[in-house]
């Protein structure tokens, strides 16, 4: 369960990503001359994942409880940002020495550990890859995103992640790149099921409401 306890951090599942050459095994994400040791391919790949992050959330965080984990202050990303070792960043690129000649890639902190069916797991990996393109990568946000001023770092701030399953589904069906990667039929069925789940949750009267209002 992504967020089993209130007031403490939830359960995350960091997904590490690296792209190796099929012919000689070289790391295609590494560039020794880049300040972050990221190749142009790596920068486009990260930029694409940031661009399509709201839609990806519906696949990597497909239940109502997922979005109670993605809150500021609980060691999970709430904004679409990237950085080095910044716990609040959606995508984190590890620091390496050029002498090492490689970098392990990066980790994406948004997925949650409540595993969907194996087919949907494969689709989650597929849409992560499909989201890469030729987009420019904005500068990293090394400040803690829980505390930063969006106006002061506007050039590095992309936008917030969906705050609910309903918002994530809306982002998914409106993202042509991710819909094409998954297939329109799968997206339609997934959206139908998740909208029903959200409607059932929205209609449920919780203990919190009873304690606060009754």
């Amino acid at each position: 369960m992504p967020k089993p306890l209130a007031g403490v951090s939830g359960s995350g599942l960091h997904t590490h990503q690296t792209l190796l050459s099929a012919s000689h095994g070289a790391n295609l994400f590494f560039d020794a001359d880049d300040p972050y040791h990221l190749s142009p391919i790596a920068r486009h790949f990260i930029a694409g994942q940031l661009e399509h992050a709201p839609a990806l959330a519906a696949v990597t965080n497909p239940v109502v409880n997922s979005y109670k984990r993605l809150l500021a202050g609980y060691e999970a990303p709430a904004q679409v940002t990237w950085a080095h070792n910044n716990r609040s960043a959606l995508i984190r690129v590890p620091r390496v020495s050029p002498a090492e000649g490689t970098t392990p890639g990066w980790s994406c902190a948004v997925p949650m550990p409540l595993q969907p069916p194996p087919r949907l797991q494969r689709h989650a990996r597929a849409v992560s890859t499909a989201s890469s393109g030729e987009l420019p990568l904005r500068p990293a946000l090394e400040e803690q995103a829980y505390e930063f001023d969006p106006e002061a770092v506007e050039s590095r701030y992309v936008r917030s992640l969906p705050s609910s399953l309903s918002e994530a589904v809306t982002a998914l069906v409106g993202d042509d790149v991710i819909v094409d990667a998954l297939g329109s039929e799968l997206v339609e069925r997934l959206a139908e099921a998740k909208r029903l789940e959200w409607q059932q949750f929205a209609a449920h009267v919780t203990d919190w409401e009873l304690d606060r209002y009754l």
Side-chain angles (χ1 to χ4, degrees), residues 26-27 30-32 37 96-104:
N27 191 335
F30 180 75
D31 183 345
H37 303 139
V96 296
S97 167
E100 296 179 43
T102 186
T103 176

Side-chain angles (χ1 to χ4, degrees), residues 40-126:
I41 293 176
R43 287 182 167 274
H44 289 321
F45 205 101
I46 295 175
Q49 291 193 340
L50 295 177
E51 176 68 20
H52 298 283
L56 288 169
V59 181
T60 59
N61 292 267
V63 301
V64 168
N65 184 255
S66 302
Y67 299 88
K68 298 188 177 184
R69 179 180 77 91
L70 302 178
L71 297 173
Y74 288 102
E75 297 188 1
Q79 285 82 31
V80 182
T81 59
W82 75 281
H84 271 319
N85 297 322
N86 183 341
R87 288 182 176 274
S88 65
L90 172 68
I91 290 179
R92 283 182 253 167
V93 178
R95 295 183 183 275
V96 296
S97 167
E100 296 179 43
T102 186
T103 176
W106 60 80
S107 69
C108 181
V110 74
M112 54 123 202
L114 178 61
Q115 290 297 292
R119 183 183 179 192
L120 197 55
Q121 291 182 44
R122 292 194 296 272
H123 282 305
R125 291 192 291 270

Side-chain angles (χ1 to χ4, degrees):
M1 187 175 181
K3 183 76 169 181
L5 301 173
V8 297
S9 299
S11 301
L13 177 66
H14 290 205
T15 302
H16 295 263
Q17 303 169 86
T18 303
L19 182 64
L20 303 179
S21 169
S23 59
H24 48 79
N27 191 335
L28 299 179
F29 284 163
F30 180 75
D31 183 345
D33 296 327
D34 183 82
Y36 282 82
H37 303 139
L38 294 171
S39 69
I41 293 176
R43 287 182 167 274
H44 289 321
F45 205 101
I46 295 175
Q49 291 193 340
L50 295 177
E51 176 68 20
H52 298 283
L56 288 169
V59 181
T60 59
N61 292 267
V63 301
V64 168
N65 184 255
S66 302
Y67 299 88
K68 298 188 177 184
R69 179 180 77 91
L70 302 178
L71 297 173
Y74 288 102
E75 297 188 1
Q79 285 82 31
V80 182
T81 59
W82 75 281
H84 271 319
N85 297 322
N86 183 341
R87 288 182 176 274
S88 65
L90 172 68
I91 290 179
R92 283 182 253 167
V93 178
R95 295 183 183 275
V96 296
S97 167
E100 296 179 43
T102 186
T103 176
W106 60 80
S107 69
C108 181
V110 74
M112 54 123 202
L114 178 61
Q115 290 297 292
R119 183 183 179 192
L120 197 55
Q121 291 182 44
R122 292 194 296 272
H123 282 305
R125 291 192 291 270
V127 294
S128 293
T129 302
S131 63
S132 62
E134 295 294 325
L135 297 172
L137 181 61
R138 297 189 183 198
L141 180 68
E142 298 297 353
E143 299 92 336
Q144 286 295 315
Y146 307 137
E147 304 170 353
F148 78 101
D149 178 0
E151 294 184 0
V153 292
E154 185 176 358
S155 63
R156 290 169 288 169
Y157 174 71
V158 181
R159 58 196 181 284
S160 297
L161 284 168
S163 61
S164 68
L165 180 60
S166 177
E167 289 185 15
V169 171
T170 298
L172 171 63
V173 299
D175 192 312
D176 293 339
V177 171
I178 305 304
V179 171
D180 184 64
L182 288 173
S184 59
E185 183 176 355
L186 176 60
V187 170
E188 289 174 6
R189 299 287 79 77
L190 178 62
E192 181 181 5
K194 293 306 166 182
R195 282 170 174 158
L196 177 59
E197 182 177 341
W198 176 256
Q199 291 169 2
Q200 292 172 340
F201 169 74
H204 178 67
V205 178
T206 65
D207 290 341
W208 182 88
E209 293 169 286
L210 291 174
D211 292 340
R212 187 174 183 87
Y213 303 121
L214 186 61

